[in-house]
Amino acid sequence: MVYQVKLPAFEGPLDLLLHLIRVNEVDIYDIPIARITDEYFQYLALLEQLDLELAGEFLVMAATLVYIKSKTLLPADPSATEEPFEEDPRTPLVDMLLEYQRFRAAAETLSGREDQQRQFFFRSTPLEIPTREGPLEVNLFDLLTAFREVLERAKDQPVLEFLTRPVSTGERMVAILDRVATVEASVTFESLFPPEADRWLVIVTFLALLELLRQGSIRVRQQVDFGDIVVMRAVA
Amino acid sequence: MSQDHLAILEALLFASPDPLSVELLHVILGDVEREGIVRSLHSLQEAYEKNGSGLMIVQVAGGFRMSTRPDLHPWLGRLAKTRPTRLSRPALETLAIIAYRQPITKAEVESIRGVLVDGVLKTLMERDLIRVLGRKREVGRPLLYGTTRKFLEYFGFQDITELPSTQEIETLIPPRQDTQDTDETVRAEREDS
């Protein structure tokens, strides 16, 4: 006779611990650590028997449980009189469990909203509206040409170097995204390079712009030939 | 507000694949004030409701969009050939953590969930529900993640403040009996010893 056993799928060690706490009807603030540790190991053994690959996190948690158990078994250090109120060794674990439990509940509510929202149907592609003179998409060479102009300007800046931490591409990416925070907000290519910017800032800003383009976070457009290049946020 | 504006707004909502913000509508309509646009949108909303239309105008992610009525979903489900799959539990948990704690690094998400999240993050990025906000100023300069506008649309939020508060979430967790008491007893005992 073949029995089919259906095991609840656990998302990780915290999920499994919360399950054990619930089925054993114990208090999360007062976990009987020996009992829960035993059950935890029984479950790991079961997983091994079933030849399921054990994620490393489950073993890390096993070690943590054993550590807490050993701490609770040890008598308090009689010499440590200055600190009579020692922290419960379970506290960090309980805090983790509580926090994880909160987010698990938050995930539940998101899941509920997902179900609700799936009853609304929207248009997913734009109507095909023929455009006669739409904005021109800017190619890399247009960008490089514009960049050379900015770089020319930066050349005249007197260079006075201090050993400060230079601005990074990542920071400039964030700064650019802030400038075009909404779909409607757009800025000109020129305005991303303040006149006082030195060569370093100009280059880093340009790299940041290219990276954002590659990610598809922004778009660059040119309304007319040789006109201002406009940078805008890509529609999500 | 003239009839014409209503018609234009209706046509725009019909044509757009994205929610339209009042700002954008103001730019498109040109001479119509924002308040006027909001009024018109609301009267369109009412008109659809009153006429028993199969369509409705909903407010989401800071804009307005045209949608089918939710109670008609069984029929639309038959029409739609493919629909994006529901998010898995790991994806929802990860997304919840990012939504509440953004900007947040991968390592911080992992320490809350207790498992690695590389695969899940990739899926969420591909579905455009999260994005990179920048880098954290600490060793290794890890990437910081946050939710997108698509996230708001997907879950039907107007903006991120519409997420249920952590207190509201707290009430969803089944309460433990005498939780507080036990906690205090433990402390009391320790103080005695």
Side-chain angles (χ1 to χ4, degrees):
Chain A
M1 193 163 203
V2 179
Y3 290 97
Q4 271 211 326
V5 184
K6 205 170 158 73
L7 288 168
F10 294 108
E11 295 303 334
L14 292 173
D15 204 23
L16 171 55
L17 274 182
L18 283 176
H19 170 78
L20 294 177
I21 286 165
R22 202 191 54 215
V23 297
N24 282 288
E25 294 184 335
V26 296
D27 189 341
I28 194 165
Y29 291 96
D30 190 18
I31 302 170
I33 206 78
R35 192 162 122 210
I36 294 295
T37 304
D38 283 350
E39 296 216 2
Y40 187 86
F41 274 91
Q42 277 171 29
Y43 191 85
L44 291 198
L46 185 62
L47 285 180
E48 261 172 15
Q49 274 175 30
L50 293 169
D51 259 353
L52 292 178
E53 213 177 302
L54 263 187
E57 299 99 7
F58 280 96
L59 300 176
V60 174
M61 179 56 76
T64 309
L65 287 172
V66 171
Y67 173 75
I68 297 172
K69 190 174 157 187
S70 68
K71 279 275 248 187
T72 48
L73 290 176
L74 285 174
D77 184 357
S79 62
T81 39
E82 305 94 43
E83 214 181 299
F85 187 80
E86 207 186 327
E87 193 195 30
D88 188 328
R90 299 172 297 182
T91 304
L93 179 64
V94 171
D95 289 344
M96 268 177 87
L97 286 169
L98 288 174
E99 187 168 42
Y100 176 66
Q101 188 171 242
R102 262 197 297 276
F103 283 112
R104 216 174 56 170
E108 281 297 309
T109 63
L110 283 186
S111 173
R113 285 198 74 106
E114 183 185 36
D115 280 344
Q116 259 175 33
Q117 286 303 309
R118 285 175 76 86
Q119 302 187 350
F120 292 84
F121 287 76
F122 307 100
R123 174 185 297 288
S124 57
T125 46
L127 279 186
E128 286 194 24
I129 302 168
T131 49
R132 264 173 301 161
E133 39 195 320
L136 308 164
E137 285 289 345
V138 175
N139 65 30
L140 183 62
F141 296 104
D142 298 327
L143 273 183
L144 283 173
T145 310
F147 177 56
R148 205 170 53 203
E149 280 164 28
V150 179
L151 212 52
E152 271 306 302
R153 219 173 49 204
K155 210 165 66 180
D156 301 334
Q157 290 288 324
V159 178
L160 183 59
E161 276 188 41
F162 293 98
L163 287 175
T164 52
R165 196 185 59 80
V167 66
S168 74
T169 320
E171 282 164 6
R172 290 306 289 162
M173 281 168 70
V174 175
I176 294 174
L177 282 180
D178 280 346
R179 292 281 301 276
V180 289
T182 60
V183 179
E184 298 79 49
S186 58
V187 294
T188 64
F189 178 81
E190 289 272 311
S191 72
L192 292 176
F193 305 93
E196 71 279 5
D198 58 15
R199 236 179 133 76
W200 172 267
L201 186 68
V202 167
I203 291 170
V204 167
T205 304
F206 187 64
L207 287 177
L209 195 74
L210 289 181
E211 179 62 18
L212 286 171
L213 270 173
R214 195 188 61 79
Q215 284 182 0
S217 311
I218 58 165
R219 286 189 307 180
V220 286
R221 289 283 181 81
Q222 200 169 24
Q223 295 294 343
V224 289
D225 278 335
F226 308 112
D228 273 346
I229 292 177
V230 175
V231 179
M232 64 188 90
R233 173 151 297 207
V235 182
Chain B
M1 182 56 52
S2 75
Q3 197 62 41
D4 279 342
H5 289 140
L6 280 185
I8 297 168
L9 285 175
E10 187 182 25
L12 290 170
L13 289 168
F14 169 73
S16 172
D18 302 306
L20 293 171
S21 68
V22 174
E23 257 332 287
L24 183 58
L25 290 169
H26 175 67
V27 172
I28 294 174
L29 288 177
D31 55 343
V32 188
E33 284 307 307
R34 291 169 185 79
E35 298 79 48
I37 291 171
V38 174
R39 266 202 307 278
S40 300
L41 286 166
H42 286 142
S43 55
L44 260 182
Q45 250 169 347
E46 278 167 36
Y48 272 77
E49 239 171 90
K50 244 191 268 162
N51 300 336
S53 168
L55 299 173
M56 62 188 295
I57 289 154
V58 294
Q59 225 170 324
V60 71
F64 290 79
R65 81 190 309 189
M66 194 176 275
S67 157
T68 59
R69 236 167 51 198
D71 56 302
L72 305 177
H73 77 93
W75 289 273
L76 288 142
R78 284 179 215 163
L79 172 73
K81 290 188 190 75
T82 52
R83 299 201 63 194
T85 48
R86 280 193 173 74
L87 292 168
S88 66
R89 228 185 99 194
L92 283 165
E93 282 181 11
T94 307
L95 198 51
I97 293 169
I98 294 175
Y100 280 94
R101 289 285 164 84
Q102 57 187 316
I104 185 170
T105 66
K106 180 171 84 78
E108 287 162 349
V109 176
E110 284 173 346
S111 84
I112 295 174
R113 279 199 66 216
V115 290
L116 301 177
V117 296
D118 304 70
V120 182
L121 280 189
K122 196 164 161 272
T123 313
L124 292 175
M125 289 285 273
E126 276 164 10
R127 292 190 65 163
D128 196 20
L129 294 167
I130 59 166
R131 65 192 177 98
V132 172
L133 296 177
R135 284 182 184 276
K136 192 167 187 178
R137 284 159 203 267
E138 64 170 39
V139 184
R141 320 222 344 109
L143 294 171
L144 286 163
Y145 296 91
T147 53
T148 59
R149 195 186 175 90
K150 182 83 179 292
F151 166 82
L152 298 177
E153 282 176 33
Y154 189 79
F155 291 101
F157 292 119
Q158 266 281 56
D159 56 64
I160 200 73
T161 61
E162 273 196 2
L163 276 177
S165 70
T166 29
Q167 283 97 315
E168 285 171 85
I169 296 290
E170 210 75 61
T171 60
L172 299 170
I173 301 169
R176 288 262 151 228
Q177 283 178 324
D178 307 319
T179 293
Q180 288 308 318
D181 292 346
T182 327
D183 194 28
E184 267 155 32
T185 343
V186 172
R187 276 161 202 277
E189 277 167 16
R190 301 201 144 258
E191 270 159 347
D192 288 344
S193 60

